[in-house]
Amino acid sequence: AQSVAQPEDQVNVAEGNPLTVKCTYSVSGNPYLFWYVQYPNRGLQFLLKYITGDNLVKGSYGFEAEFNKSQTSFHLKKPSALVSDSALYFCAVRDRNGGFKTIFGAGTRLFVKA
Amino acid sequence: EPEVTQTPSHQVTQMGQEVILRCVPISNHLYFYWYRQILGQKVEFLVSFYNNEISEKSEIFDDQFSVERPDGSNFTLKIRSTKLEDSAMYFCASSEGGVGGSGANVLTFGAGSRLTVL
């Protein structure tokens, strides 16, 4: 069975500082991995994905994520946080060996202080 | 940019009533999904739909729920005999592909339909 863990309910960073939002996953096969962001009263928006190839994936708004197979992690990072990055971030996984469902983590609220 | 549209944005209903939530997925997408989110918390998978049939469903998606694509553009979620615990934000999503491919699997979400059961 697929599962995603986001160990932090909230991450607080100062504007201009680097940010990391953590994610670990569990799938029986090889994963597709995703990050989505949700702003208040909005649907989830796709940020980036890992399918294959380079372990460092670059996405929208300056975000990037690193796939680490040995640690089964896919942490989201950004070198310099903006106040406008404050939102709810969801890590998601899908088993590429079958199934139609993408499973989401519990979400991590990012708060960037000016 | 194409988007997934959902109606209504908010529905209030009495316990035991039936509700239908509607979604218009992106026109060239082939896979359709419903998710729900309770109180801004975890996003839970309900069901996926492809080729006019359910392709996968979660344990949440019991006989109370049904989905339909009645006219080739709309994708509906029906909840029969609503319960208090059905109160949630329901998100429709669609994707271009299901498995494989560089462009596959990315879900495009609608803005959601908030269901309040009293």
Side-chain angles (χ1 to χ4, degrees):
Chain A
Q2 306 154 244
S3 66
V4 180
Q6 293 182 241
E8 304 151 315
D9 291 335
Q10 181 164 315
V11 170
N12 299 307
V13 300
E15 188 173 35
N17 283 0
L19 70 86
T20 299
V21 182
K22 296 179 180 177
C23 171
T24 58
Y25 66 90
S26 174
V27 294
S28 56
N30 293 315
Y32 293 121
L33 294 161
F34 307 84
W35 277 99
Y36 287 80
V37 60
Q38 185 182 30
Y39 297 100
N41 302 313
R42 301 288 300 276
L44 281 71
Q45 299 175 34
F46 169 72
L47 270 183
L48 51 79
K49 65 183 177 184
Y50 170 81
I51 293 182
T52 189
D54 195 347
N55 289 343
L56 183 64
V57 178
K58 294 189 182 297
S60 307
Y61 312 119
F63 284 93
E64 58 189 29
E66 186 164 13
F67 170 60
N68 187 317
K69 187 173 183 179
S70 63
Q71 296 184 1
T72 61
S73 67
F74 190 57
H75 301 330
L76 180 71
K77 300 182 180 185
K78 187 174 182 181
S80 179
L82 299 172
V83 172
S84 57
D85 293 330
S86 298
L88 189 56
Y89 290 81
F90 290 95
C91 182
V93 65
R94 179 170 171 167
D95 187 344
R96 71 177 70 207
N97 292 329
F100 291 84
K101 62 183 178 183
T102 301
I103 299 300
F104 288 81
T108 299
R109 190 165 300 280
L110 174 66
F111 180 70
V112 182
K113 184 172 58 177
Chain B
E1 186 173 332
E3 59 181 24
V4 175
T5 57
Q6 290 186 242
T7 54
S9 57
H10 189 192
Q11 180 153 358
V12 180
T13 190
Q14 295 292 322
M15 189 169 55
Q17 296 297 303
E18 176 183 285
V19 299
I20 297 176
L21 306 179
R22 292 181 169 80
C23 168
V24 179
I26 293 173
S27 60
N28 66 335
H29 283 187
L30 301 177
Y31 294 80
F32 315 112
Y33 312 83
W34 283 100
Y35 284 80
R36 78 175 185 188
Q37 184 181 36
I38 297 176
L39 291 178
Q41 301 298 318
K42 188 170 185 174
V43 176
E44 300 175 301
F45 171 79
L46 292 178
V47 66
S48 61
F49 191 87
Y50 169 69
N51 201 25
N52 284 320
E53 61 182 20
I54 291 174
S55 48
E56 194 163 358
K57 62 182 181 179
S58 72
E59 57 277 5
I60 301 170
F61 195 88
D62 59 20
D63 293 343
Q64 181 194 10
F65 295 89
S66 62
V67 290
E68 193 177 37
R69 190 160 160 80
D71 56 12
S73 62
N74 289 285
F75 179 51
T76 63
L77 175 68
K78 181 188 291 186
I79 309 174
R80 285 181 284 274
S81 189
T82 50
K83 299 177 281 196
L84 295 176
E85 54 264 38
D86 294 329
S87 295
M89 181 72 89
Y90 288 81
F91 290 106
C92 175
S94 65
S95 67
E96 193 173 27
V99 289
S102 60
N105 309 318
V106 173
L107 302 178
T108 302
F109 283 83
S113 293
R114 181 174 300 280
L115 176 64
T116 301
V117 182
L118 301 177

